[in-house]
Amino acid sequence: MKLHSALIVLSLIAAPAAFASDQTANSKTRDQVRAELLQAVQSGDMLASGESGLTLKQLNPGAYPLTSPAAGAKTRAQVQAELVQAIQSGDLIAVGESGARMSELQPARYPAVAAGPTKTREQVQRELAQAMAEGEVVAVGEDGRTLHEMYPERYHAALPGAVAASSHASPQSSSF
């Protein structure tokens, strides 16, 4: 019991010194804090009252001075050109909760998108067999780990010679 009391007393003695040293390391003067507050109020960067999470400038943009646009900002003409292109190609999101594009809901109204190079069924099957043999298939579960990450002792794909040997194995020879 005495040890417990002694530890409490020592911690109470040491705590103010620790907090005092932390405050002096990166403290600002009272005048610096007031200047930052005044600048934030004048520019509208203060959070508005309520639960919106918006700044005063976001709620009432006309009451605060304009800031310079970002370096990668687009002009109004560029944005309008992109909008026209999206309307013509059907890349706009359809109204509702589906999240589908207009070209997906009504493909006959929009030009067909040219498909890139594709793989044959045999190429895909070979890639799948190789991935299964090397344990590069995502395991069942929510963590997204591959079989090789979950069971490293079952897969020896890290060795250069093992990759070449496993690429000739059939998908049935896998332990899964």
Side-chain angles (χ1 to χ4, degrees):
M1 184 68 174
K2 289 183 181 182
L3 178 62
H4 185 40
S5 299
L7 288 175
I8 290 174
V9 170
L10 286 175
S11 65
L12 290 175
I13 292 171
F19 287 120
S21 66
D22 186 36
Q23 289 176 351
T24 59
N26 49 352
S27 65
K28 296 180 182 180
T29 66
R30 190 175 189 93
D31 291 334
Q32 288 173 328
V33 172
R34 284 183 179 159
E36 288 179 7
L37 174 63
L38 180 64
Q39 197 271 334
V41 169
Q42 289 175 346
S43 66
D45 291 333
M46 294 291 297
L47 285 178
S49 60
E51 297 179 2
S52 68
L54 299 175
T55 62
L56 294 171
K57 182 188 281 188
Q58 291 171 326
L59 288 176
N60 191 2
Y64 298 97
L66 294 174
T67 56
S68 61
K74 297 179 182 179
T75 65
R76 181 176 176 86
Q78 289 173 324
V79 171
Q80 288 175 336
E82 287 180 6
L83 175 63
V84 168
Q85 181 183 4
I87 290 171
Q88 291 173 348
S89 65
D91 282 339
L92 292 178
I93 303 296
V95 177
E97 297 180 8
S98 69
R101 292 189 170 97
M102 292 297 292
S103 60
E104 295 170 349
L105 295 177
Q106 299 173 348
R109 296 184 70 188
Y110 301 98
V113 178
T118 60
K119 297 180 182 181
T120 65
R121 183 175 176 85
E122 289 77 24
Q123 288 173 324
V124 172
Q125 288 176 339
R126 267 186 271 135
E127 288 179 9
L128 176 61
Q130 182 177 358
M132 288 173 63
E134 294 174 3
E136 294 300 323
V137 178
V138 176
V140 177
E142 296 178 1
D143 59 358
R145 292 187 296 168
T146 61
L147 291 172
H148 177 72
E149 292 169 339
M150 291 181 72
Y151 309 106
E153 68 280 353
R154 293 185 185 177
Y155 300 96
H156 55 281
L159 302 174
V163 174
S166 66
S167 64
H168 299 301
S170 66
Q172 290 80 14
S173 66
S174 177
S175 62
F176 293 98

